[in-house]
Amino acid sequence: MMKTERLMSLDVLRGITVAGMILVNNPGDWGHIYAPLKHAEWNGLTPTDLVFPFFMFVMGVSMCFSFRKFDYRPTREFVVKLVKRTAILFLLGVALSWVSLVLSRWMSPEGTMSWSQILFPFEQVRVWGVLQRLALSYFFASLLVVTVRNRRVLGCVVAGILLLYGLVLAWGHGFELSTANVIAVVDRTLVGESHMYLEWLPDGGRIRFDPEGLVSTLPGIAHVLIGFFCGRLLLSSKSLNEKMADLAVACAALLIVGFLLGYGCPINKKVWSPSYVLVTCGFAMLTLILLMWIIDVRKMQRWTYPFRAFGCNPLFIYVFASFLAIVLETIPCGGLSVKDQVYMWIAGWAVVPQLASLIYALVYVAFNGLLACVLLKKEIFIKV
């Protein structure tokens, strides 16, 4: 019989991840980012490159817990909730892009656009994004969980997805940051260049390449499913120490295979390479084991409250933080945006620009954390 008790460490990991996503997305100045908060330019891995995949991993773990009430079967109620949540997540991602365009056009100093051009910038709305990837990965991973009842077969599906995607990358110039990359080609064909992200090149130029594109969402499904298998381990009837030992074995296997695979299939976040999936899932498991030992075994829990607050309303806080960031970056204040005014004030007394940029990001995380703490204290849980 599976235990139903909830691990506080899982909520804390989710909260740390959400706080991390807000932190890396909101430096005071994109030209002076604190070094550990930078993404790898192409191949490679930085601490920042762990944040988004950690959230997808935790999503998979949480799926294992939440789907128990449906007995992991595609009931009518399950399908309705799955479609509804997927649609909401996807549309929220598109809506954030729309809001950003509307506000930037509305606040444009030229002021030459009509209201219809301001309110309906659909020719430039970005189709893909973080929330859209979460939506699609969650949707297809959920369908696989409830339709493939044999877990060994499901494990083979995960391996098959990663193998197939690796072959697609090898065949389609997948490790080239160019317009010939299969990820860019598919997105350009399906949605058009104007709806794609403008990616920076090492030489300072830019091309239309979406790091959350449709093709690279395929390994995201495998990512969520690996999290689901981790959840299966946590729901076993074994003791907590035995669960941690099992996770440690799985963690070691993922890291070893991932890093070895990286010699032929580079670790690359922007294409979400198979090696990147394995390595980041391995690090996510390692972090979860550490948190389980600190929080659930040693009972050192006082420090966890802010992160539990982030973890109790993760998607709402992330969407709110993203929306507020757009507002602060576009609303004018004394010739600059509100964000720039705050950053310039911090930069006036900070020693170096990178430090000022980091302080701004930390203050922004703290502000959103305050909202998260208020919601938790009032026991308000906003489901998305």
Side-chain angles (χ1 to χ4, degrees), residues 292-312:
M292 288 172 67
W293 181 75
I294 294 173
I295 298 169
D296 301 308
V297 175
R298 297 296 301 274
K299 302 298 182 181
M300 299 167 62
Q301 300 175 350
R302 289 187 178 181
W303 63 275
T304 64
Y305 187 85
F307 298 110
R308 284 192 288 123
F310 274 111
C312 286

Side-chain angles (χ1 to χ4, degrees), residues 148-225:
V148 182
R149 302 287 294 174
N150 188 311
R151 297 314 178 199
R152 290 187 178 181
V153 174
L154 186 60
C156 291
V157 170
V158 173
I161 289 174
L162 295 179
L163 177 60
L164 173 63
Y165 183 62
L167 293 174
V168 169
L169 291 179
W171 167 78
H173 306 284
F175 293 104
E176 297 177 10
L177 183 52
S178 70
T179 55
N181 189 305
V182 63
I183 297 171
V185 171
V186 171
D187 288 339
R188 192 163 58 244
T189 302
L190 292 179
V191 301
E193 285 195 348
S194 63
H195 299 286
M196 294 168 61
Y197 182 75
L198 267 174
E199 180 62 60
W200 288 97
L201 296 172
D203 63 3
R206 303 188 78 174
I207 63 169
R208 293 288 180 176
F209 179 90
D210 209 311
E212 282 83 41
L214 181 62
V215 174
S216 58
T217 296
L218 181 63
I221 300 169
H223 210 122
V224 176
L225 288 174

Side-chain angles (χ1 to χ4, degrees), residues 114-353:
S114 65
W115 278 107
S116 62
Q117 291 175 310
I118 292 173
L119 295 176
F120 305 106
F122 298 128
E123 75 282 358
Q124 288 184 297
V125 171
R126 186 184 173 197
V127 174
W128 312 121
V130 169
L131 292 175
Q132 294 92 316
R133 170 155 293 179
L134 289 176
L136 294 177
S137 299
Y138 171 79
F139 178 79
F140 289 107
S142 299
L143 287 182
L144 286 169
V145 163
V146 298
T147 55
V148 182
R149 302 287 294 174
N150 188 311
R151 297 314 178 199
R152 290 187 178 181
V153 174
L154 186 60
C156 291
V157 170
V158 173
I161 289 174
L162 295 179
L163 177 60
L164 173 63
Y165 183 62
L167 293 174
V168 169
L169 291 179
W171 167 78
H173 306 284
F175 293 104
E176 297 177 10
L177 183 52
S178 70
T179 55
N181 189 305
V182 63
I183 297 171
V185 171
V186 171
D187 288 339
R188 192 163 58 244
T189 302
L190 292 179
V191 301
E193 285 195 348
S194 63
H195 299 286
M196 294 168 61
Y197 182 75
L198 267 174
E199 180 62 60
W200 288 97
L201 296 172
D203 63 3
R206 303 188 78 174
I207 63 169
R208 293 288 180 176
F209 179 90
D210 209 311
E212 282 83 41
L214 181 62
V215 174
S216 58
T217 296
L218 181 63
I221 300 169
H223 210 122
V224 176
L225 288 174
I226 292 174
F228 173 82
F229 279 110
C230 176
R232 296 282 293 183
L233 286 176
L234 295 176
L235 283 174
S236 70
S237 58
K238 296 180 179 181
S239 68
L240 190 58
N241 285 334
E242 289 175 320
K243 292 176 183 179
M244 292 170 62
D246 288 345
L247 285 175
V249 172
C251 165
L254 288 171
L255 288 174
I256 291 171
V257 174
F259 277 116
L260 288 177
L261 183 61
Y263 285 103
C265 175
I267 298 171
N268 188 307
K269 176 190 180 295
K270 292 178 181 178
V271 301
W272 216 272
S273 64
S275 55
Y276 176 76
V277 172
L278 297 177
V279 168
T280 54
C281 282
F283 278 126
M285 281 191 188
L286 182 61
T287 306
L288 180 57
I289 293 168
L290 179 61
L291 291 174
M292 288 172 67
W293 181 75
I294 294 173
I295 298 169
D296 301 308
V297 175
R298 297 296 301 274
K299 302 298 182 181
M300 299 167 62
Q301 300 175 350
R302 289 187 178 181
W303 63 275
T304 64
Y305 187 85
F307 298 110
R308 284 192 288 123
F310 274 111
C312 286
N313 286 291
L315 290 172
F316 172 77
I317 293 297
Y318 176 78
V319 172
F320 174 81
S322 299
F323 173 77
L324 181 60
I326 293 170
V327 172
L328 294 178
E329 289 171 2
T330 53
I331 299 299
C333 178
L336 298 172
S337 68
V338 174
K339 174 187 175 179
D340 288 341
Q341 286 284 14
V342 174
Y343 171 72
M344 292 301 292
W345 176 77
I346 296 174
W349 50 265
V351 179
V352 292

